[in-house]
Amino acid sequence: MNGGKEVKLFTSALKAFQCNNRIVMAQRKHLDDFLRGRIIGRLECRRTQLKVSEELGIAQSVISRLWQRFQDDGNASRCYSTGRPRVTTPNEDRYLAVTAKRNRRSTASDLSRQLSSAAGTTVSRQTVYRRLGHIGLYARRPVRCVPLTATHCRLRLAWSREHALWTPQQ
């Protein structure tokens, strides 16, 4: 008979703990990186979201959102969502950097057009300036003069030799 009372006492204590645990779960706290990693690890070990939420005392909806975000982009860290969303992805930023380094004379407008044709993402010239500025590539200005041909160089040298001894009055 006492065994039955103990079991009832235990189950009522467990229910009280679960109720208290739910109160804690209702408070809004950000998960730290370690806890996020534990959650993802348990879900990757084929535990159910409900089981993980009960084990860690976290609402199942939080675990569901974390798992969904991890499956979408492979990232479990918090996403800071203040400000306007970025137009380019990290891969497109890398593409811009590589293209700019390969062709040093290309302008920001040229790079914008190349990104548009390669990835289908339309970005402004100013966005390209900013993305390249983040990695230390500045001065994407258009080339002002046409590069000289060998004939031009020869003719200019001849002119300068001819006029080398002229005074400012001439």
Side-chain angles (χ1 to χ4, degrees):
M1 226 181 241
N2 273 347
K5 270 188 174 179
E6 287 176 6
V7 169
K8 285 182 183 177
L9 257 167
F10 176 74
T11 54
S12 65
L14 181 63
K15 284 181 182 177
F17 172 76
Q18 286 175 341
C19 287
N20 289 339
N21 211 9
R22 298 252 184 257
I23 292 168
V24 170
M25 285 193 293
Q27 295 172 352
R28 290 183 57 94
K29 282 193 240 175
H30 294 297
L31 305 176
D32 62 339
D33 289 334
F34 180 72
L35 186 55
R36 274 191 225 103
R38 284 178 60 195
I39 293 168
I40 296 299
R42 289 177 185 207
L43 291 172
E44 284 179 334
C45 291
R46 302 275 187 219
R47 288 205 180 134
T48 64
Q49 292 177 7
L50 188 61
K51 188 93 170 159
V52 173
S53 75
E54 288 171 355
E55 288 172 1
L56 299 175
I58 298 169
Q60 195 259 335
S61 61
V62 172
I63 296 197
S64 174
R65 279 195 308 268
L66 179 67
W67 182 240
Q68 191 63 49
R69 190 168 66 231
F70 180 76
Q71 286 181 325
D72 287 345
D73 60 1
N75 190 1
S77 62
R78 258 182 92 207
C79 52
Y80 297 97
S81 59
T82 58
R84 189 165 188 253
R86 288 174 70 96
V87 177
T88 58
T89 64
N91 282 340
E92 291 167 344
D93 292 345
R94 261 192 307 281
Y95 175 81
L96 280 173
V98 168
T99 309
K101 287 176 184 174
R102 279 188 189 149
N103 188 2
R104 300 294 259 183
R105 290 189 172 280
S106 61
T107 64
S109 300
D110 293 341
L111 292 172
S112 174
R113 280 191 293 275
Q114 287 176 3
L115 180 66
S116 179
S117 65
T121 305
T122 306
V123 294
S124 68
R125 177 186 54 80
Q126 191 60 40
T127 301
V128 174
Y129 273 131
R130 263 185 267 113
R131 296 296 186 268
L132 295 178
H134 284 298
I135 59 166
L137 293 175
Y138 299 101
R140 289 277 136 193
R141 299 244 186 313
V143 181
R144 290 225 174 144
C145 61
V146 179
L148 298 178
T149 63
T151 308
H152 287 137
C153 290
R154 194 176 65 253
L155 292 172
R156 288 180 74 166
L157 182 61
W159 185 90
S160 65
R161 284 185 178 153
E162 182 183 329
H163 296 86
L165 298 175
W166 281 28
T167 61
Q169 289 79 23
Q170 292 175 325

